[in-house]
Amino acid sequence: MDLSLRLIEALLAVVEEGSMTRAATRLNMTQQAVSGQIRQLERIAGTALLLRLPQGVELTPAGEVVAKQGAALVAAATTMLSEAHLLGEGKSHRLRIAFKGQSTAHFMPDVEAALRRVAPEVVLEPLSVSTLPDEIDALVNGAADAAFLWLPIGDDDRFTSHDLISEPRMVALCPGHPLAARTELRIADLANEPIVGPRAGMPPAVVRFWFIDPRPDGTPAIFGPEGRTPEECLQLVAAGRGSWIAPASTATYFAFPKLVWLPLVDAEPLRLALMWPRRSASPLLDLLLRESRRIVRPCTPAAVAAASRS
C-alpha cells in the first residue's frame, strides 16, 4: 500500500477549508494538483471520500473515517519527527510566543491545547505585549521565538511572515457620538473625526495604514490624541476625544468601558500573521504554524454585536 501522508493532508485541508480552491491556496498548490491527490487517495481507499457539491464539499461516511484516523496519523508523524529532531539537536522543548491579548484571546488557549495533544513534550510560554514595537523587540532580542501580530509591520526583512486570518476593521465610538446610531460606517463618515491610536515608534507606513491616511478622496486623516496601548485608546474614546479603528477581535475582548463598535465596511481588512526571525529553523515553529492554521478563525461584526449585548 503506497499511502503518503501528503494525500491525507490534502484531504484534511479540503475539509477544513471547505473547498478545493481555498485548500490549494493554503497548501501552495494548484487546484488541479489538490484534486488529483484526493482522487489518488480515493483510489487507494477504494471508495469515494468526498461529495462535490455546488456549495462546496462534504465527506462521505468513508471519508469521515479516513479524515478522523488520518488526522491522528499526521499528528503522530509530526510529533515523531519533532521529537527526533529536538533530541538529535539537543534543543529545548520550550516555545515562547509574543502576543496581544485583545487579538488572540479567542484562539490562543485552543492553539496551546492542540500543541499539547500532538506534542505533549512542548512547553508553550506566553509573553504578553501591548504594542507593535514591543512585539518586534521581543523577536529581535530573543525574548520570543514567534509572535502573533497584525500586518503591516513596515519594511522589515528580518522575519518570515505567515498569514493566518483577516478581520474587518471596527470603529469604536463613545455612546453619545452622532454616528453611534448607525449600523455601519464608511471611511467618508470619518472625514471630520479625530482618530486615536499609537504613533510613537511606529513606521510611518504602518501609521498611515491604520489611520487610513490619506483617505480615498485624497484628504488627510485627522490625528487625535495618541493612545499607546489599547487600554489608553479605549479611555480616550470613552472620554469623547476621538474614535479608534481596531480589529473585530479587539471589540469582543474589552467589556469596559461600554462603547459602540461599528464595522467600517469599505476599509481594507486587517491581516493577522504568525511571524518569527528568518534565522530561526525549528520543527516546533512549523508545528505551531500548522496547528494555528487549523484552529484560528476570524472574529466577525456579528460576534462583536453579540459580545456587546452580553
Side-chain angles (χ1 to χ4, degrees), residues 1-277:
M1 178 179 61
D2 186 17
L3 176 60
S4 168
L5 290 179
R6 293 185 183 277
L7 304 182
I8 298 175
E9 288 174 332
L11 177 68
L12 296 177
V14 171
V15 173
E16 290 164 8
E17 296 297 333
S19 79
M20 294 282 187
T21 302
R22 290 193 294 272
T25 300
R26 171 171 147 182
L27 297 171
N28 195 26
M29 298 169 61
T30 66
Q31 183 176 343
Q32 292 78 7
V34 173
S35 182
Q37 289 192 336
I38 298 299
R39 287 195 299 271
Q40 184 179 349
L41 183 58
E42 289 178 325
R43 286 195 296 271
I44 294 172
T47 185
L49 303 177
L50 285 177
L51 295 176
R52 280 74 167 177
L53 305 173
Q55 66 271 25
V57 295
E58 182 178 310
L59 284 171
T60 65
E64 291 179 359
V65 172
V66 173
K68 180 179 179 179
Q69 298 190 25
L73 285 174
V74 171
T78 302
T79 300
M80 173 189 69
L81 295 176
S82 175
E83 290 185 5
H85 180 88
L86 291 171
L87 290 172
E89 297 293 326
K91 293 182 179 178
S92 171
H93 288 179
R94 182 178 62 168
L95 195 55
R96 300 162 301 170
I97 311 297
F99 70 100
K100 299 185 185 74
Q102 73 276 7
S103 302
T104 60
H106 62 296
F107 66 76
M108 274 282 284
D110 292 334
V111 169
E112 180 171 359
L115 283 172
R116 195 179 302 119
R117 284 193 298 271
V118 300
E121 78 284 358
V122 175
V123 177
L124 189 67
E125 296 184 359
L127 174 64
S128 176
V129 297
S130 297
T131 69
L132 173 62
D134 290 342
E135 209 158 16
I136 297 299
D137 286 347
L139 290 175
V140 171
N141 64 28
D145 301 303
F148 292 105
L149 43 72
W150 293 101
L151 303 177
I153 65 168
D155 294 329
D156 200 323
D157 60 0
R158 292 174 294 178
F159 310 106
T160 178
S161 176
H162 306 273
D163 282 19
L164 295 176
I165 55 172
S166 64
E167 286 189 355
R169 300 194 202 201
M170 306 291 294
V171 179
L173 305 165
C174 64
H177 195 283
L179 297 173
R182 306 272 189 95
T183 58
E184 62 183 33
L185 295 176
R186 296 185 177 276
I187 297 172
D189 297 325
L190 304 177
N192 300 312
E193 183 68 18
I195 305 299
V196 306
R199 298 195 295 275
M202 303 275 282
V206 175
V207 174
R208 290 194 296 270
F209 176 81
W210 282 90
F211 283 77
I212 314 178
D213 180 49
R215 300 294 161 76
D217 63 1
T219 59
I222 300 176
F223 289 88
E226 180 171 7
R228 193 183 70 90
T229 67
E231 291 80 3
E232 291 175 1
C233 291
L234 290 168
Q235 293 303 319
L236 290 169
V237 173
R241 298 178 64 187
S243 300
W244 181 35
I245 301 173
S249 51
T250 296
T252 66
Y253 183 75
F254 291 102
F256 297 99
K258 286 293 186 181
L259 303 175
V260 175
W261 289 92
L262 297 177
L264 193 58
V265 296
D266 60 343
E268 181 182 350
L270 301 169
R271 294 179 296 134
L272 183 73
L274 177 61
M275 188 172 291
W276 59 72

